[in-house]
Amino acid sequence: MFNTTSSKSLQTLLTHFIVIGQGLFIAPFLIKSSGEELLGLYSLIMLICICLYSVSSFGIGTLYKRYLPSTKLIIEKSNLFFPQFFFQIFSCLLIGLVSTLIFSNFFFSSYLIETKFNIFLIIFYLFSYVLYSQVLDYYRYSNEITIFNFVTILQ
């Protein structure tokens, strides 16, 4: 029988295969069912959102990721988790609002993109991705590998 480390590693490997398989089965369906303009707009907006999210923490979460695995008490875990969590939510909402103003004035008002699109979806996406990544990081760094793998599959 597997010990806990090897079973968790095998479980994580299986999870990665499932995530790769999801992309292989879903991508052709999306490409066929959406038009070129809609797929291009979706790709552009996802790229912009990922770039905005990547700078939203400003490096504040590094202490949390460094010390959470060795922390045992729940009060210490919460003291590590919540300050960076609220900072990233605030910074992501602020970055989302600023980018919404910039993109609505630049892209959508100058007729570069003719597709109807609600620009405030960028803010919603950023906020939901912060929640998703914070939950994922918490379970990753608190050694809850089974829940981490489950949340990864739900992506």
Side-chain angles (χ1 to χ4, degrees), residues 63-126:
L63 288 177
Y64 152 70
K65 292 174 184 174
R66 167 72 175 94
Y67 293 113
L68 188 67
S70 62
T71 305
K72 300 292 184 218
L73 298 175
I74 194 74
I75 193 77
E76 291 175 357
K77 287 182 179 185
S78 66
N79 287 339
L80 286 171
F81 178 76
F82 284 113
Q84 61 85 31
F85 175 72
F86 290 128
F87 177 80
Q88 190 169 16
I89 284 180
F90 175 74
S91 66
C92 229
L93 290 177
L94 186 65
I95 288 172
L97 285 172
V98 169
S99 65
T100 299
L101 293 173
I102 292 171
F103 294 137
S104 65
N105 289 332
F106 181 69
F107 285 118
F108 297 102
S109 66
S110 64
Y111 301 104
L112 290 175
I113 299 174
E114 297 176 4
T115 304
K116 298 285 184 193
F117 176 73
N118 188 353
I119 194 72
F120 293 104
L121 286 175
I122 291 176
I123 297 172
F124 176 74
Y125 177 80
L126 287 173

Side-chain angles (χ1 to χ4, degrees), residues 52-65:
L52 292 174
Y53 171 77
S54 66
V55 299
S56 68
S57 69
F58 297 105
I60 299 296
T62 55
L63 288 177
Y64 152 70
K65 292 174 184 174

Side-chain angles (χ1 to χ4, degrees), residues 9-70:
S9 298
L10 186 63
Q11 185 183 46
T12 302
L13 181 66
L14 181 64
T15 299
H16 287 295
F17 283 134
I18 291 172
V19 169
I20 291 169
Q22 286 174 344
L24 291 175
F25 289 116
I26 292 174
F29 175 73
L30 288 175
I31 292 170
K32 185 163 178 65
S33 64
S34 65
E36 293 174 6
E37 184 179 349
L38 186 61
L39 185 62
L41 178 64
Y42 174 78
S43 300
L44 178 66
I45 290 172
M46 286 299 111
L47 177 67
I48 289 169
C49 287
I50 289 169
C51 290
L52 292 174
Y53 171 77
S54 66
V55 299
S56 68
S57 69
F58 297 105
I60 299 296
T62 55
L63 288 177
Y64 152 70
K65 292 174 184 174
R66 167 72 175 94
Y67 293 113
L68 188 67
S70 62

